[in-house]
Amino acid sequence: MTDRFTRPSRKAFLKMAAAGMTAALGLGALPAMANETAPEWPTKPVRIITPFPVGSGPEGVVRLLAEKLQKTWGKPVIVENRPGANGFIAIDAFRQGAKDGHDLMHLDNVHLVAYPHLFKKLPYDPVKDFEPVLPLFRANFFLTTAANSKYRNVGDVLADAKANPGKLNYGSWSVGNPVHLGTALLEAMTNTEMQHVVYKETSQLYTGVANGELNFALGTMATAGPLQRAGKIKFIGTTGLKRHPAFPDVPTVAESGGPAGYEVSGWTTIATPKGLPKAVADRIQRDLEKALAEPEIAQRYATFGYDLFPTTREQFGSFIQSESTKWAGVIQRAKASLD
């Protein structure tokens, strides 16, 4: 039996030759190239919705980033402030907004890791509604007391708390914020009980520390720093695992007589809608990383006491899960809840 060879037509021959040349050059099939082309983005102004008020530290960082991203993307990047109602007003605007990446959400860490355990019913789903891209910064806290306080270190505070169960007080500006939960974690790790006092404004909170209304409170460089520099309050411990470079003489909580492994930080993130095309999500992350690497960002961070928090998307996802598990236990022990 012999094989029959059929001479191809001129049109078919040219088609095969073109395919062979494409393969030889390593270009791949032309239709596949068209399918792999990333969608054009952005095609219109990008909106970043934030729950933080104008003038706050986190909001200032986002505005600076928006300026950088606007130059990179060639489209206006608008920061829209929607403060109030625990951030739910801003989140609702995001959930009703564009799903193609032209609307981005600025989230506080409590929205992802604390509120799901504090509220019986949330007006959003932290898993289904958001895709966190990367953390914008991380801010550790300082344990602050009045400048003339008898407490020289964290060990003194804890000794007093153990000797007088339920009598020491500390403050924050709401239930469920990092300052409140960070102190609740300290209670849990030391088996102590203290009173939580809520202040309407952070300025009143640290004034309360300075004049002795409060035994202590956790605070950042941005919130408690002005009174510390004025000599009204003092820092006796930092909640990071290592000392803050701006305050090398302030020991960690563990070094100051507190429990080993104690760590509390506040952080924010930019999130995209869930299900965004990978090419668009990757571009947003890449351009955010580029903006965060600029020297002007580092200078602004030094002012607020913020630290860069470099991580991959996968590592960030694991971190969020571990934070959620940690705060779930703290909230359960404190029997804290919000309606």
Side-chain angles (χ1 to χ4, degrees), residues 65 99 117 164 178 208 221 230 232 236 267 269 273 279-280 298 308 323:
L65 286 172
K99 307 301 182 185
H117 310 294
N164 300 281
M221 281 177 56
K232 302 293 185 180
I236 60 174
W267 45 270
T269 182
V280 176
L308 285 170
E323 285 278 281

Side-chain angles (χ1 to χ4, degrees), residues 102-139:
H102 287 92
D103 277 348
L104 304 176
M105 184 68 211
H106 181 210
L107 290 170
D108 193 12
N109 58 333
V110 296
H111 296 124
L112 297 173
V113 303
Y115 284 176
H117 310 294
L118 279 167
F119 285 88
K120 295 178 181 179
K121 186 177 181 180
L122 280 176
Y124 64 91
D125 188 313
V127 175
K128 295 180 180 179
D129 289 336
F130 311 115
E131 190 66 55
V133 179
L134 47 73
L136 301 186
F137 64 79
R138 193 173 190 172

Side-chain angles (χ1 to χ4, degrees), residues 25 43 73 88 112 129 166 194 207 216 246 320 331:
L25 292 174
T43 59
W73 292 340
F88 298 163
L112 297 173
D129 289 336
M194 295 176 269
T207 298
F216 71 95
I320 291 173
I331 290 167

Side-chain angles (χ1 to χ4, degrees), residues 109 133-139 263 265-269 289 292 301 306-313 315-320 322-323:
N109 58 333
V133 179
L134 47 73
L136 301 186
F137 64 79
R138 193 173 190 172
E263 181 184 19
S265 63
W267 45 270
T268 67
T269 182
E289 289 173 343
L292 286 168
Y301 277 17
Y306 297 161
D307 297 315
L308 285 170
F309 188 9
T311 183
T312 65
R313 196 178 304 174
Q315 290 171 338
F316 188 35
S318 297
F319 171 76
I320 291 173
S322 66
E323 285 278 281

